[in-house]
């Protein structure tokens, strides 16, 4: 089968700016990369000799490691720059840090930052590709790519008309925003659920449904995606306590019974077991949480390959 | 021998004196005067204002000049020249300098520098509380003796209602108006743009208009209670305009100002995370913008001021979250207001000029903003239709944090005179 | 830009098939692998005409190429698909055109990620001999030299089975 590929951007900054065809392209290559995971020799020479900087201004373990493994599977060299260990704590600006990274002949920057919009800002400073690994409450594009990839594996390639409920702290969630854009582009119907302080009704202007009745939000969902409730929110005014959240919105066995039997449960991790998601459900048959992790590698491989190639398109010399 | 300037052939618009028509303006020894005899006119320096508007020099009662202490952003020398280039001949500077203008020494220092460096009239304001900390009243009496025209903690709204009440009472001793930046701090912690659709979409922390409305309402209550005059700075929200409108109908002594950027842009402008669209209060929704325009038109908002807030390029060149609030506005104010109000036919030229001249002067009791006989010869001459493309690198301001960068605007200041001296001429190589 | 068809495609294919047939009995448990995209239809046709019992696979070299800096992202992508065990087989690697040998080099790398074939042979329809590596085809249907600015295009329609060989002059 011939798959048409559509890609000409060196940066992956948001899902919002991608077309459906571009998402399809990433997924097609991710599918191809997934076949290589089963080999004893997992390394491909695609990005041999390329240097990738993991610029993690905001700490992260899972995303950083997933990007690192993806890069190494493609034979790139990866160097981690963290805020604590960098000149950023000495007051160096992001511009200066980025320019230093570029002057060190890096070929690509993967940036995680607590400030929304910083990957776009970075991409205006440097010529090399910039990959957004999560910017504040704005976007986390590769998470949405792996989430929708996983849904396609489970529900079939065509997600149009599929119902996806995202439950939890939507207001502060970049994962939610990226998934909303990806799912809408792929034709799915999105419902956002949770307490109204964390799920403002105004989200409906993005083209989704906001539902405060949990039973209704779960009843006809094909996918329920839970978001991590962050402990630090306990000290803010957005919600009384983790206990209250668990009592009203935690997905437990009783509430899982409201779901359709074939519905799947997703979570971007790390899971607060017993808060937003009951342990038995996290480990249960409907859970695809670990598959999300695996798919995170191959989708990031696809993104790295595509952006590196697009950046290098200087000639169309055929051989 | 006296010096006479004859500005002729222009359309003279002097709203305070209900004057609007082609005619002459005469300035003798720096003062506006009646038509001199024919002999004197032969010796006059003639300024031909054919096809141009001749109006009283503009008055901006909300400007940050950054001197002392932050002169890498702006100083009295550069800020006053930026004012002149924008057609402003009188400006009122805010006290959030380093150190803050909460003591007579700092005010005197500002006045001294103005004398040496300024090319326009500058009136200082004093802090409302010591260090703008909102805790202890600043010495209004001593500051008044040094020449302040109002008190304000602009940028750091006084949260404590008791302090605000006492400030209002005490300020009346000296007939000092209070200017307030209306912001409930508890509702805006970490906020960087208007709360609404765009903040949700961009993942930026929202600054709800209710946080502004609450303080506007508080100020209305306290003005009613104390009888003091409170001027609401940079009103940006629809409901805030309405609170002011109703308070004025009841005769409460409150006034309000609108900003060119709040009537020109909406919060959608933040979508590229360009920090030159980050200011406080933030750009708001279309509904808010339309309400602010309506407020200017129906008088609920008395005047237009700029909140000219310079920041050095490297301070604004960063992530949206970390950039300081504020934009410069004096060199684009007239053109941007002409675009919004006059070229869209929402009001006529005399109306707009009144909001930029004698009305702001009246709010603070300044003897400015008119072409009455005997006043200082402060005049702006402009072409309301000449179109130009904004390039902040050509500004007189030290800073270039201008949201109109690259926009083409109609309305060009051709010449500005302060007490009969030309302080701005739209000609290559003009310096002063 | 113009194209001409100086090479008779049927004759080239017939010659390739005949050469292969002479050696087919030397191969142990052969399988055919087409190099995507140009070699895939050709591989299927050789299977139909010569080795009806052998499996066919597809090799995509995109991720094995050493010229990511030079090649655009392909518009059409045919995924690698090797639905059989390559160990101890003879693999007949099929491509439409042989030029520098870089594709063959990448194909060998990709192929060896799947296992350890006993033998690999390379069959191409047209050999334009611009060899830059110590690799050359074992079987070819036509050999030619291209002038400056010339490129060769092979197309094989999977439905009509129409085979075309064209030389593009720029």
């Amino acid at each position: 089968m011939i798959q048409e590929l559509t890609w000409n951007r060196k940066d992956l900054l948001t899902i919002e700016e991608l077309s459906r065809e571009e998402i399809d392209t990433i997924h097609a290559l991710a599918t191809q990369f997934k076949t290589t995971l089963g080999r004893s020799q997992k390394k491909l020479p695609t990005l041999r000799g390329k240097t990738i900087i993991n610029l993690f201004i905001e700490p992260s373990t899972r995303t950083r490691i997933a990007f690192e493994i993806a890069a190494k599977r493609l034979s790139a060299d990866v160097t981690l720059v963290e805020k604590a260990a960098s000149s950023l704590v000495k007051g160096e600006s992001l511009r200066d840090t980025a320019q230093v990274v570029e002057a060190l002949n890096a070929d690509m920057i993967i940036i995680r930052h607590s400030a929304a919009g910083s990957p776009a800002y970075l991409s205006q400073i440097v010529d090399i590709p910039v990959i957004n690994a999560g910017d504040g409450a704005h976007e986390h594009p590769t998470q949405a790519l792996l989430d929708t990839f996983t849904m396609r594996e489970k529900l079939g390639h065509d997600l149009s008309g599929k119902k996806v409920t995202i439950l939890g702290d939507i207001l502060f969630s970049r994962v939610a925003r990226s998934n909303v854009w990806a799912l809408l582009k792929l034709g799915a119907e999105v419902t956002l659920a949770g307490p109204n302080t964390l799920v403002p009704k105004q989200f409906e202007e993005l083209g989704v449904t906001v539902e405060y009745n949990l039973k209704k939000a779960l009843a006809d969902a094909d996918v329920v995606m839970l978001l991590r409730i962050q402990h630090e929110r306990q000290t803010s005014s957005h919600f009384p306590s983790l206990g209250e959240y668990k009592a009203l919105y935690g997905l437990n066995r009783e509430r899982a019974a409201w779901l359709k039997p074939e519905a799947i449960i997703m979570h971007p991790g790390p899971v607060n077991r017993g808060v937003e998601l009951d342990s038995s459900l996290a480990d249960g048959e409907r859970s695809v949480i670990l598959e999300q992790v695996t798919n995170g590698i191959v989708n990031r491989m696809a993104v790295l390959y595509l952006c590196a190639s697009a950046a290098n398109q200087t000639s169309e010399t055929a051989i | 021998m006296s010096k006479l300037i004859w500005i002729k052939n222009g359309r003279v618009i002097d709203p305070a004196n209900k004057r609007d028509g082609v005619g002459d303006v005469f300035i003798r020894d720096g003062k506006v005067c009646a038509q001199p005899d024919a002999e004197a006119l032969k010796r006059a320096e003639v300024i031909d204002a054919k096809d141009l508007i001749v109006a009283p020099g503009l008055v901006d009662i909300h400007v940050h000049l950054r001197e002392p202490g932050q002169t890498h952003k702006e100083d009295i020398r550069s800020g006053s020249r930026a004012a002149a280039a924008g057609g402003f001949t009188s400006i009122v500077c805010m006290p959030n300098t380093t150190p803050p203008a909460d003591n007579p020494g700092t005010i005197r220092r500002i006045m001294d520098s103005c004398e040496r460096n300024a090319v326009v009239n500058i009136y200082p304001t004093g802090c409302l509380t010591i260090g703008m900390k909102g805790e202890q009243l600043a010495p209004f009496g001593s500051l008044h003796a040094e020449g302040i025209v109002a008190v304000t903690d602009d940028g750091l709204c006084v949260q404590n209602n008791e302090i605000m009440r006492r400030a209002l009472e005490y300020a009346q001793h000296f007939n000092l108006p209070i200017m307030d930046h209306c912001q409930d701090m508890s509702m805006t912690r970490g906020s960087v743009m208007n709360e609404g659709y765009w903040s949700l979409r961009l993942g930026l922390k929202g600054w709800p208009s209710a946080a502004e409305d609450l303080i506007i309402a508080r100020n209305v209550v306290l003005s009613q209670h104390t009888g003091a005059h409170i001027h609401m700075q940079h009103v940006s929200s629809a409901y805030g305009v309405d609170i002011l409108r109703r308070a004025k109908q009841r005769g409460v002594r409150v006034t309000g100002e609108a900003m060119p950027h709040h009537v020109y842009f909406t919060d959608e402008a933040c979508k590229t995370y360009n920090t030159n669209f980050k200011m406080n209060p933030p750009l708001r929704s279309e509904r808010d913008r339309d309400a602010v325009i309506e407020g200017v038109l129906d008088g609920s908002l008395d005047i237009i001021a700029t909140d000219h807030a310079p920041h050095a390029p490297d301070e604004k060149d960063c992530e949206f979250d970390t950039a300081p609030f504020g934009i410069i506005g004096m060199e684009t104010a007239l053109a941007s207001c002409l675009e919004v109000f006059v070229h869209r036919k929402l009001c006529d030229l005399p109306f707009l000029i009144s909001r930029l001249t004698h009305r702001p002067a009246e709010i603070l009791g300044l003897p400015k903003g008119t072409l009455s006989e005997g006043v200082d010869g402060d005049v702006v001459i402009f072409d309301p239709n000449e179109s130009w493309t904004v390039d902040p690198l050509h500004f007189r301001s030290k800073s270039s944090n201008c949201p109109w960068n690259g926009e083409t605007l109609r309305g060009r200041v051709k010449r500005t005179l302060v007490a009969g001296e030309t302080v701005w001429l739209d000609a290559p190589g003009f310096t002063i | 830009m113009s194209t001409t068809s100086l090479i008779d495609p049927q004759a080239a294919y017939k010659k390739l098939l005949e050469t292969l047939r002479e050696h087919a009995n030397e191969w142990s448990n052969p399988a055919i692998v087409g190099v995507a995209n140009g070699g895939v239809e050709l591989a299927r046709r050789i299977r139909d005409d010569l080795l009806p019992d052998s499996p066919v696979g597809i090799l995509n070299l995109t991720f094995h190429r050493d010229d990511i800096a030079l090649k655009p992202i392909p518009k059409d992508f045919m995924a690698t698909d090797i639905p059989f065990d390559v160990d101890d087989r003879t693999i007949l690697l099929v491509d439409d055109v042989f030029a520098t040998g870089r594709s063959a080099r990448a194909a060998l790398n990709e192929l060896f990620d799947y296992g350890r074939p006993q033998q690999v042979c390379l069959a191409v329809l047209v050999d334009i001999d611009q060899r830059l590596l110590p690799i050359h085809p074992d079987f070819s249907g036509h050999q030619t030299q291209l002038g400056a600015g010339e490129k060769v295009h092979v197309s094989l329609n999977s439905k009509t089975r129409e085979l075309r060989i064209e030389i593009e002059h720029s």
Side-chain angles (χ1 to χ4, degrees):
Chain A
M1 192 188 89
I2 293 185
Q3 172 82 43
E4 280 189 28
L5 300 187
T6 307
W7 194 269
N8 58 8
R9 53 178 86 239
K10 72 176 179 69
D11 305 312
L12 178 64
L13 305 176
T14 65
I15 295 290
E16 188 194 338
E17 68 187 356
L18 297 186
S19 65
R20 185 202 167 115
E21 290 69 30
E22 287 172 304
I23 295 174
D24 288 344
T25 294
I26 295 167
H27 284 170
L29 294 182
T31 305
Q32 171 69 13
F33 284 125
K34 199 162 182 181
T35 66
T36 67
L37 291 185
R39 304 180 189 170
S40 57
Q41 162 60 290
K42 293 187 179 64
K43 216 170 171 113
L44 293 166
T46 318
L47 298 183
R48 191 165 56 207
K50 303 276 179 204
T51 302
I52 295 179
I53 303 290
N54 257 337
L55 181 59
F56 274 58
I57 313 293
E58 181 187 72
S60 149
T61 307
R62 299 166 74 100
T63 304
R64 174 174 65 74
I65 290 175
F67 266 111
E68 190 172 322
I69 289 176
K72 287 179 173 172
R73 292 268 165 85
L74 293 173
S75 302
D77 298 313
V78 187
T79 298
L80 174 64
V81 178
E82 283 179 303
K83 180 170 186 176
S86 76
S87 301
L88 288 160
V89 287
K90 299 173 193 160
E92 187 176 72
S93 70
L94 184 57
R95 169 182 290 275
D96 287 339
T97 303
Q99 284 175 337
V100 166
V101 164
E102 197 171 37
L104 289 167
N105 288 318
D107 296 291
M108 190 183 277
I109 298 178
I110 296 164
I111 180 173
R112 159 70 65 98
H113 199 311
S114 58
S118 45
Y121 170 69
L122 192 67
S123 73
Q124 292 160 14
I125 298 172
V126 298
D127 291 329
I128 56 177
V130 173
I131 312 288
N132 181 2
D135 61 329
H138 180 218
E139 283 229 35
H140 192 350
T142 54
Q143 180 71 40
L145 290 167
L146 74 91
D147 287 339
T148 47
F149 182 88
T150 308
M151 288 180 215
R152 283 178 145 179
E153 282 188 335
K154 296 293 163 185
L155 309 177
H157 187 78
D158 184 6
L159 293 182
S160 56
K162 299 293 182 193
K163 294 184 167 58
V164 179
T165 292
I166 308 178
L167 169 61
D169 175 358
I170 312 289
L171 182 60
F172 294 95
S173 174
R174 51 187 165 227
V175 174
R177 282 175 182 75
S178 283
N179 265 298
V180 164
W181 293 121
L183 288 164
L184 291 179
K185 284 169 202 287
L186 297 176
E189 293 169 23
V190 184
T191 298
L192 305 178
N196 60 2
T197 46
L198 294 174
V199 191
K201 194 78 176 166
Q202 197 162 24
F203 269 116
E204 293 199 331
E205 291 176 36
L206 298 179
V208 302
T209 305
V210 168
E211 176 59 65
Y212 297 125
N213 180 320
L214 188 55
K215 195 166 187 173
K216 272 192 198 162
L218 296 179
D220 57 355
D222 297 295
V223 177
V224 55
M225 180 186 296
L226 303 158
L227 298 178
R228 179 179 165 78
I229 291 298
Q230 299 176 49
H231 290 290
E232 56 268 29
R233 298 269 173 263
Q234 277 194 100
T235 56
S236 84
S237 47
H238 289 83
F239 209 72
S241 67
L242 288 182
E244 172 111 335
Y245 185 87
K246 177 184 178 179
L248 296 182
Y249 297 98
L251 190 64
N252 53 29
R253 296 180 85 81
E254 184 196 337
R255 288 175 183 148
W258 298 340
L259 287 163
K260 295 197 290 194
E262 67 276 18
I264 58 170
I265 296 173
M266 303 181 74
H267 193 302
V271 180
N272 283 316
R273 284 175 181 264
V275 182
E276 70 265 5
L277 180 59
D278 198 74
S279 242
S280 64
L281 294 170
D283 303 329
E285 276 180 9
R286 295 158 166 236
S287 164
V288 298
I289 293 172
L290 292 176
E291 284 161 82
Q292 287 174 266
V293 176
T294 309
N295 290 336
I297 306 289
V298 294
N299 275 276
R300 289 181 175 109
M301 288 169 77
V303 167
L304 295 179
Y305 162 70
L306 287 168
C307 290
S309 302
N312 282 320
Q313 275 180 32
T314 51
S315 139
E316 292 200 8
T317 320
I319 58 165
Chain B
M1 199 167 92
S2 68
K3 184 186 172 194
L4 182 66
I5 294 170
W6 178 12
I7 304 170
K8 65 188 213 181
N9 297 331
R11 175 182 164 192
V12 180
I13 301 178
D14 179 15
N17 292 305
K18 305 213 164 21
R19 183 176 174 192
D20 180 6
V22 174
D24 303 313
V25 171
F26 302 99
I27 302 170
R28 189 197 299 274
D29 296 330
K31 302 281 186 192
V32 176
C33 65
Q35 178 160 354
D37 56 45
E39 200 51 37
L41 280 182
K42 281 183 194 159
R43 294 192 304 272
E45 176 192 339
V46 174
I47 296 173
D48 186 2
K50 190 170 178 336
D51 299 329
L52 302 176
I53 307 294
V54 179
L58 308 182
V59 178
D60 187 352
I61 66 168
H62 194 159
V63 172
H64 297 268
L65 292 177
R66 308 302 191 202
E67 182 178 337
Q70 302 149 24
T71 52
H72 62 291
K73 299 171 194 262
E74 194 84 281
D75 58 24
I76 284 165
R77 187 182 164 78
S78 64
S80 69
R81 279 158 182 75
F88 291 94
T89 54
S90 295
I91 58 178
V92 173
C93 61
M94 294 298 114
N96 60 337
T97 48
T98 309
D102 60 3
N103 62 87
T106 302
I107 300 294
R108 186 169 296 174
R109 181 173 164 180
I110 291 168
M111 299 293 255
D112 285 350
S113 176
C114 287
E115 197 140 304
R116 286 194 307 277
N117 301 312
V119 298
V120 302
N121 307 295
I122 296 179
Y123 298 93
T125 55
C127 293
L128 198 150
T129 61
I130 295 293
M132 302 176 65
K133 291 193 174 121
E135 292 161 1
Q136 187 189 345
L137 290 189
F140 298 174
S142 318
L143 300 176
H144 184 241
E146 293 296 339
I148 64 165
V149 295
V151 287
T152 177
D153 274 358
D154 178 36
L156 290 170
C157 176
V158 174
Q159 301 296 291
N160 183 315
N161 298 332
E162 168 64 9
I163 302 270
M164 192 63 177
R165 177 217 166 147
R166 298 304 172 195
L168 289 165
E169 288 172 345
Y170 188 56
Q172 290 180 88
H173 266 312
F174 314 101
N175 203 20
L176 280 171
I178 286 197
M179 303 165 82
D180 199 23
H181 167 124
C182 302
Q183 177 178 10
D184 183 301
M185 298 297 191
S186 69
M187 288 182 78
T188 54
R189 209 156 285 144
S191 303
V192 296
M193 73 171 291
N194 181 45
E195 179 177 305
Y197 170 76
W198 283 102
S199 68
L200 276 189
R201 181 160 164 172
L202 297 170
L204 291 169
K205 180 94 194 306
W207 189 141
S209 52
E212 180 176 347
D213 305 339
L214 272 174
I215 299 294
I216 292 176
R218 176 204 60 180
N219 288 348
V220 168
V221 170
L222 290 179
S223 173
Q224 169 91 27
H225 185 73
T226 60
H229 172 204
I230 308 185
H231 176 69
M232 317 290 177
Q233 298 178 296
H234 42 46
V235 176
S236 67
S237 98
Y239 193 54
V241 172
D242 196 47
I243 294 169
L244 265 178
R245 180 178 293 126
R246 285 182 285 155
K248 289 177 150 196
Q249 281 163 4
R250 293 200 312 274
V252 184
R253 280 185 73 199
V254 286
T255 53
E257 76 194 16
M259 296 277 139
H261 49 269
H262 287 142
V263 298
Y264 194 95
F265 299 107
T266 64
D267 53 358
E268 185 181 352
C270 299
K271 68 183 173 190
T272 58
Y273 298 94
N274 181 336
T275 58
N276 287 337
F277 294 99
K278 180 178 176 181
M279 75 291 287
N280 190 2
L283 298 174
R284 298 211 187 269
S285 69
E286 217 168 288
R287 199 179 135 260
D288 292 306
R289 179 190 61 183
D290 292 347
V292 172
I293 292 173
E294 189 54 42
V296 171
L297 296 175
D298 72 11
S300 303
L301 299 175
D302 304 76
I303 64 150
I304 294 165
T306 67
D307 195 5
H308 179 85
H311 292 292
D314 58 294
E315 294 168 327
K316 275 286 200 181
D317 181 12
C318 59
E319 302 90 317
F320 200 86
D321 277 351
T322 43
F325 290 99
I327 58 159
I328 55 174
M330 287 196 290
E331 291 173 76
T332 45
L334 180 61
S336 52
C337 288
L338 283 167
E339 285 289 351
V340 171
F341 290 103
V342 178
H343 294 313
R344 287 183 207 154
K345 301 196 166 32
L346 299 180
C347 70
D348 59 14
L349 261 174
F351 182 91
L352 176 65
I353 290 171
S354 71
R355 267 57 191 169
L356 285 161
T357 54
H358 73 98
R359 296 291 292 263
E362 282 157 18
I363 282 179
L364 299 185
L366 311 176
K368 293 290 175 187
T370 76
L371 294 175
S372 307
E373 268 184 57
V375 304
D376 288 340
D378 298 348
V379 178
V380 59
I381 302 171
F382 66 94
D383 180 342
N385 298 311
E386 182 180 334
S387 116
W388 58 291
T389 299
V390 178
D391 179 359
L393 296 179
H394 294 149
F395 281 176
R396 299 292 150 140
S397 173
K398 277 189 186 179
S399 293
S400 52
N401 48 320
C402 174
W404 284 275
N405 184 8
E407 299 249 343
T408 298
L409 300 174
R410 283 168 294 173
R412 181 91 187 150
V413 178
K414 307 306 288 181
R415 189 171 189 135
T416 307
L417 297 95
V418 170
E421 295 291 326
T422 295
V423 293
W424 166 255
L425 189 62
D426 183 26
F430 173 79
T431 51
I432 182 167
Chain C
M1 198 194 288
S2 65
T3 56
T4 49
S5 312
L6 295 174
I7 305 167
D8 177 355
Q10 298 310 329
Y13 179 69
K14 196 166 164 231
K15 188 191 162 204
L16 174 62
L17 209 57
E18 276 166 13
T19 330
L20 288 170
R21 204 185 306 275
E22 285 169 24
H23 293 84
N25 59 353
E26 300 162 13
W27 301 335
S28 77
N29 198 13
I32 309 174
V33 171
V35 175
N37 299 342
V40 175
E41 269 311 308
L42 195 60
R44 289 187 183 133
R45 184 126 167 215
I46 290 169
R47 188 258 326 264
D48 292 350
D49 294 340
L50 184 68
L51 298 163
D53 300 326
S54 294
V56 172
I58 300 170
L59 269 190
N60 185 303
L61 309 181
T62 306
F63 308 120
H64 268 280
R65 301 198 63 113
D66 53 8
D67 54 358
I68 183 174
L70 300 172
K71 293 287 279 188
I73 294 164
K75 287 198 177 58
D76 302 315
F77 184 85
M78 215 183 269
T80 291
D81 181 21
I82 308 286
F84 48 82
D85 191 354
V86 301
D87 286 355
D88 302 323
R89 279 183 188 267
T90 293
I91 301 294
L92 182 62
L93 203 55
V94 176
D95 206 349
D96 50 359
V97 180
F98 181 92
T100 61
R102 291 186 199 278
S103 294
R105 200 273 315 159
L108 288 171
N109 279 5
E110 171 88 353
L111 192 59
F112 275 80
D113 284 351
Y114 282 85
R116 189 173 181 282
Q118 196 226 351
Q119 180 191 3
V120 181
C121 306
L122 178 60
V124 299
L125 192 60
V126 183
D127 177 3
I128 58 172
D129 192 16
Q130 298 172 344
R131 196 163 299 138
L132 296 171
L133 298 176
I135 295 176
H136 62 89
D138 301 289
F139 314 103
S140 66
H142 186 91
Q143 284 178 304
T144 186
Q145 299 280 334
L146 292 185
E150 289 185 331
K151 279 184 195 175
V152 65
H153 292 287
V154 174
S155 61
L156 175 52
N157 189 306
S158 60
K159 293 202 179 71
T160 65
R161 308 203 86 189
E162 189 197 355
L163 179 63
R164 296 163 70 96
I165 301 176
E166 289 173 331
I167 295 181
E168 178 189 309
H169 314 268
S170 59

